[in-house]
Amino acid sequence: MIDNNNISINDVSTKFSSIINDKPGRRFYYVISLALLFTLFGIVGAYYTFIEGVGVFGLNTSVIWGLSIASFIFWIGIGHAGTLISAILYLFNQKWRSPIHRSAEAMTIIAVIVAGLFLLIHTGRPWFAVYWLFPYSNQMGVWVNFSSPLIWDVFAVLSYLCLSLIFWFFGLIPDLAFYNDKVKSRFKKWLYDIFSIGFYGSNKQWYYYRKTYMILAGLATAMVISVHTIVSFDFAVTILPGWHSTIFPVYFVAGAIFSGLAFVIILLVIIRYSYSLEDYINRSHFKKLNKILLAMSIIICYSYIMEFFTAWFSGNEMEQVVFIERISGTYSLLYWFSIFANVVLPQLLWSKRVRESISISLIISIIVTIGMWIERFIIVVSSLYKSILPDKEFLYVPSWVEFSLLLGSFGIFIILFMLFIRYFPIMSVYELKSGVNK
Amino acid sequence: MTKSKIIVYFSNEDKLRYAIDKSKIYNIRIIDIISPFPINNINIESKKDYKVGIISFVFGVIAFVTTLFFQWWTSIIDYPQNIGGKPFFTWIFLIPITYELTLLSAAIGGFIGFLIYSRLPKWRENNEYIKSMRDEFIIILNTGEKEEIFIRNIDNVKVKRTF
């Protein structure tokens, strides 16, 4: 919904056709080259990993999962808010989602691709990973073990990627048809012509379009809840203190939506600023996003408390040691930072002034994003570094290779997202049009 | 062979709605309505249908059965692996993959259903009426005397006739 009453349908068309036809400014190339530099670090790290094996990671005999798994969960989590905004809010008939859901969906797809890269790279030998992970009839006649959470992960992530792509592309069709008419370059016109599959907005097409959109939104909602549930099964089905817990699916899904929303807010501020879209993304959108952020923060807080409660109530000493170590052990400083970022800081959003201030919510979102990454790191490492043998501690410090992979993942994300906002409709133009004058 | 048609253009949604309401009084059959965004409550194919949903459901069911069957077949028939003495087939552990692929196939089915029933994909060039999505609201009528009177009585932008 657009609050500004002076905007007409033609204004929307003019604005978005100018976005597609304008030449990118100097800032665009600065950001792209910075992102390319990041990606280069990532490529060097990945190459070194493939040549030498995962030995170049800071892992040891006890801490077998490290930064790459934490980053995998982080990126998959980022991917969840896009579907929340596009599908779940659609099902709840929240009209305000129309200016923001397209970029959130693009964020989802790109984040899931980046997460998939971590899944591949952390195996160290991705060319072997093909037959560990995919059930094809190889020359040894062996199939993958379908009751293994690793295989679940592969199927969940790939299905989620495919479904998000379908959902995103389906939402794009009318806007590509619109752009096909507005774009000046002939090559682009031809491309938009192909990808808009001949949609021109007849009554029949809109009728089936809306029906199908509803079906896809329902399916995407069911999918998005399940994906992080399955990622959490990676931890929950192992019999390791700190991981073996039934609260994990809820905890992970809430955390995913929480971190994803924070990331959406960051991206929206950037888009709004760089394309001067103040008329379309305004304070009320940030206010509403911040409200969901606050709600998710409370669910996360509850999960943190319940984790400690179950550890204490179970009477299991192993379990209790892990949690005491978490608040007072080697990594406790990181843990307390994540508590501050994910639980304490978002409480500022109770105040209406903070919720409506774009700069403050940007700062909160950045800190929350960092806090959520650290939270995942804590989840992975804190159960592993304390060995079951008495008085044996295996400290884990990520090596430079892992950090370069993390940097590279951000580089790839930025590049793909910049290309998206350059060549695709960044907002759902037809939904914006149906929102004006009402 | 295209039949002769009248194409009436409107500048905004309200005028289009007004014309559609009027057409009921004049008892005129509207062949098609073209708009840059979906307009609520004007479906000219009056009856409801669940065709897309049914296709989606069928795809989902097929995927559910095949995925479960494939997992059962690989772990029982083709290559049973003894992993720590665990049972070869436990349906609970096969649910996650089955669930994901069922949803994915249902979505693909929904998309295919959309393509079938809205008669897409097509080349836009062949579209005789319009260069689409130009912020114009269009209704298409058959030629006839009744229609000509109707056009004179509504507030339209322009009228085009094809023969």
Side-chain angles (χ1 to χ4, degrees):
Chain A
M1 282 303 239
I2 301 167
D3 290 343
N4 191 338
N5 287 323
N6 299 323
I7 294 177
S8 72
I9 296 175
N10 290 329
D11 293 337
V12 178
S13 293
T14 324
K15 177 78 193 170
F16 285 93
S17 49
S18 79
I19 285 180
I20 196 74
N21 283 318
D22 282 350
K23 284 240 147 53
R26 197 174 286 171
R27 253 185 312 184
F28 180 81
Y29 292 109
Y30 286 154
V31 176
I32 283 276
S33 30
L34 188 70
L36 274 174
L37 190 72
F38 286 179
T39 314
L40 203 67
F41 277 110
I43 290 171
V44 170
Y47 180 75
Y48 194 51
T49 313
F50 295 157
I51 295 294
E52 296 287 326
V54 284
V56 298
F57 290 180
L59 304 172
N60 51 47
T61 47
S62 187
V63 185
I64 46 159
W65 277 357
L67 190 142
S68 48
I69 290 289
S71 309
F72 162 72
I73 305 164
F74 171 77
W75 280 114
I76 285 282
I78 296 290
H80 275 53
T83 314
L84 171 96
I85 288 171
S86 59
I88 300 181
L89 294 186
Y90 180 79
L91 293 181
F92 285 115
N93 206 8
Q94 297 292 312
K95 291 274 194 303
W96 59 273
R97 76 190 246 294
S98 56
I100 54 176
H101 76 90
R102 176 67 45 73
S103 35
E105 282 164 33
M107 179 194 80
T108 293
I109 292 164
I110 299 168
V112 173
I113 290 171
V114 173
L117 285 180
F118 270 110
L119 200 59
L120 270 185
I121 292 170
H122 100 287
T123 59
R125 298 268 190 275
W127 50 98
F128 293 138
V130 173
Y131 80 86
W132 304 332
L133 302 178
F134 292 103
Y136 75 101
S137 50
N138 53 41
Q139 67 274 28
M140 290 171 283
V142 187
W143 297 98
V144 295
N145 178 12
F146 281 112
S147 31
S148 149
L150 183 66
I151 307 299
W152 298 352
D153 244 13
V154 171
F155 276 90
V157 171
L158 281 179
S159 310
Y160 185 49
L161 178 64
C162 294
L163 202 146
S164 310
L165 267 174
I166 292 173
F167 193 49
W168 176 70
F169 174 65
F170 194 71
L172 269 173
I173 291 172
D175 292 347
L176 292 177
F178 160 76
Y179 265 17
N180 168 54
D181 223 30
K182 302 286 176 194
V183 77
K184 284 179 186 132
S185 141
R186 278 185 77 183
F187 175 66
K188 278 190 203 164
K189 209 182 187 67
W190 180 73
L191 275 183
Y192 287 128
D193 212 5
I194 290 177
F195 285 102
S196 62
I197 63 170
F199 191 92
Y200 62 95
S202 75
N203 187 273
K204 196 179 198 172
Q205 286 176 347
W206 278 127
Y207 176 71
Y208 286 114
Y209 184 83
R210 290 215 288 188
K211 272 205 168 314
T212 315
Y213 201 89
M214 187 64 98
I215 291 169
L216 290 183
L219 292 170
T221 306
M223 179 77 98
V224 74
I225 305 293
S226 73
V227 173
H228 229 59
T229 306
I230 288 174
V231 172
S232 80
F233 285 166
D234 285 354
F235 299 90
V237 300
T238 57
I239 312 175
L240 214 69
W243 286 358
H244 189 58
S245 157
T246 44
I247 201 161
F248 259 50
V250 186
Y251 174 28
F252 267 50
V253 172
I257 293 172
F258 181 61
S259 63
L261 277 170
F263 215 72
V264 166
I265 291 174
I266 298 172
L267 293 177
L268 282 181
V269 173
I270 295 169
I271 292 177
R272 180 178 187 267
Y273 168 70
S274 50
Y275 284 111
S276 45
L277 292 164
E278 283 81 1
D279 282 337
Y280 300 94
I281 306 172
N282 51 37
R283 280 172 199 281
S284 75
H285 294 114
F286 287 98
K287 195 173 119 188
K288 281 160 185 156
L289 285 175
N290 279 330
K291 273 184 189 166
I292 312 180
L293 196 72
L294 179 58
M296 286 302 153
S297 163
I298 293 166
I299 298 179
I300 291 221
C301 178
Y302 173 76
S303 314
Y304 287 161
I305 294 168
M306 285 319 286
E307 261 194 320
F308 278 84
F309 176 76
T310 34
W312 167 74
F313 196 66
S314 67
N316 183 332
E317 273 177 36
M318 291 290 193
E319 195 84 16
Q320 285 165 357
V321 165
V322 167
F323 283 94
I324 290 168
E325 282 297 315
R326 198 175 277 186
I327 51 173
S328 62
T330 321
Y331 295 101
S332 62
L333 207 63
L334 285 176
Y335 180 73
W336 287 112
F337 176 78
S338 82
I339 288 287
F340 165 75
N342 304 336
V343 178
V344 181
L345 191 69
Q347 304 309 318
L348 286 177
L349 297 170
W350 285 104
S351 140
K352 198 179 171 193
R353 271 179 60 199
V354 174
R355 273 206 304 270
E356 288 189 343
S357 155
I358 291 171
S359 49
I360 297 179
S361 61
L362 176 67
I363 294 167
I364 291 179
S365 299
I366 291 173
I367 296 175
V368 163
T369 308
I370 298 168
M372 282 310 287
W373 187 86
I374 289 173
E375 187 230 70
R376 271 65 178 263
F377 185 81
I378 292 291
I379 292 174
V380 173
V381 177
S382 71
S383 284
L384 289 173
Y385 84 99
K386 208 77 178 160
S387 169
I388 309 292
L389 296 170
D391 270 350
K392 202 100 170 91
E393 225 181 70
F394 293 89
L395 279 187
Y396 166 67
V397 181
S399 72
W400 66 267
V401 182
E402 287 167 288
F403 279 118
S404 73
L405 288 176
L406 182 62
L407 199 64
S409 72
F410 275 93
I412 292 175
F413 181 88
I414 295 168
I415 289 176
L416 290 178
F417 197 76
M418 292 298 272
L419 291 178
F420 159 74
I421 59 178
R422 183 80 201 95
Y423 294 107
F424 287 94
I426 42 175
M427 287 182 189
S428 178
V429 180
Y430 80 91
E431 277 181 36
L432 284 179
K433 284 178 185 168
S434 69
V436 296
N437 298 333
K438 275 183 193 162
Chain B
M1 265 279 289
T2 51
K3 278 185 194 165
S4 54
K5 279 167 192 152
I6 306 175
I7 305 165
V8 192
Y9 295 82
F10 300 91
S11 61
N12 66 37
E13 190 189 333
D14 294 337
K15 285 177 186 167
L16 179 79
R17 267 179 194 285
Y18 176 75
I20 291 165
D21 290 344
K22 267 279 167 94
S23 76
K24 281 167 195 154
I25 301 167
Y26 282 82
N27 197 18
I28 282 172
R29 194 175 151 264
I30 293 172
I31 300 174
D32 207 348
I33 305 166
I34 295 166
S35 55
F37 52 81
I39 294 170
N40 287 321
N41 309 321
I42 51 152
N43 181 28
I44 47 176
E45 291 163 24
S46 50
K47 64 174 191 295
K48 280 197 168 181
D49 64 61
Y50 302 99
K51 287 187 266 189
V52 177
I54 289 167
I55 289 195
S56 167
F57 180 75
V58 168
F59 266 69
V61 169
I62 290 171
F64 179 81
V65 174
T66 32
T67 333
L68 262 189
F69 173 78
F70 183 71
Q71 295 180 72
W72 170 81
W73 180 74
T74 53
S75 51
I76 298 275
I77 309 288
D78 197 46
Y79 202 113
Q81 295 175 65
N82 189 340
I83 300 164
K86 287 171 190 162
F88 294 129
F89 182 82
T90 38
W91 66 272
I92 296 172
F93 277 86
L94 306 181
I95 287 301
I97 292 176
T98 315
Y99 179 83
E100 299 292 335
L101 290 183
T102 304
L103 289 181
L104 178 63
S105 304
I108 293 171
F111 190 71
I112 291 174
F114 165 75
L115 292 181
I116 292 172
Y117 289 116
S118 51
R119 306 205 190 286
L120 293 172
K122 260 186 218 159
W123 272 109
R124 162 103 17 72
E125 326 283 318
N126 299 336
N127 195 324
E128 58 200 277
Y129 306 127
I130 36 144
K131 292 290 283 174
S132 73
M133 315 302 272
R134 270 216 174 142
D135 301 346
E136 278 166 333
F137 298 81
I138 301 168
I139 59 176
I140 296 167
L141 308 166
N142 279 321
T143 43
E145 272 177 42
K146 261 197 311 191
E147 280 79 4
E148 295 293 340
I149 302 167
F150 166 68
I151 292 164
R152 258 173 263 140
N153 284 313
I154 50 172
D155 181 17
N156 55 16
V157 179
K158 62 177 174 185
V159 180
K160 216 158 91 181
R161 291 172 175 79
T162 59
F163 299 101

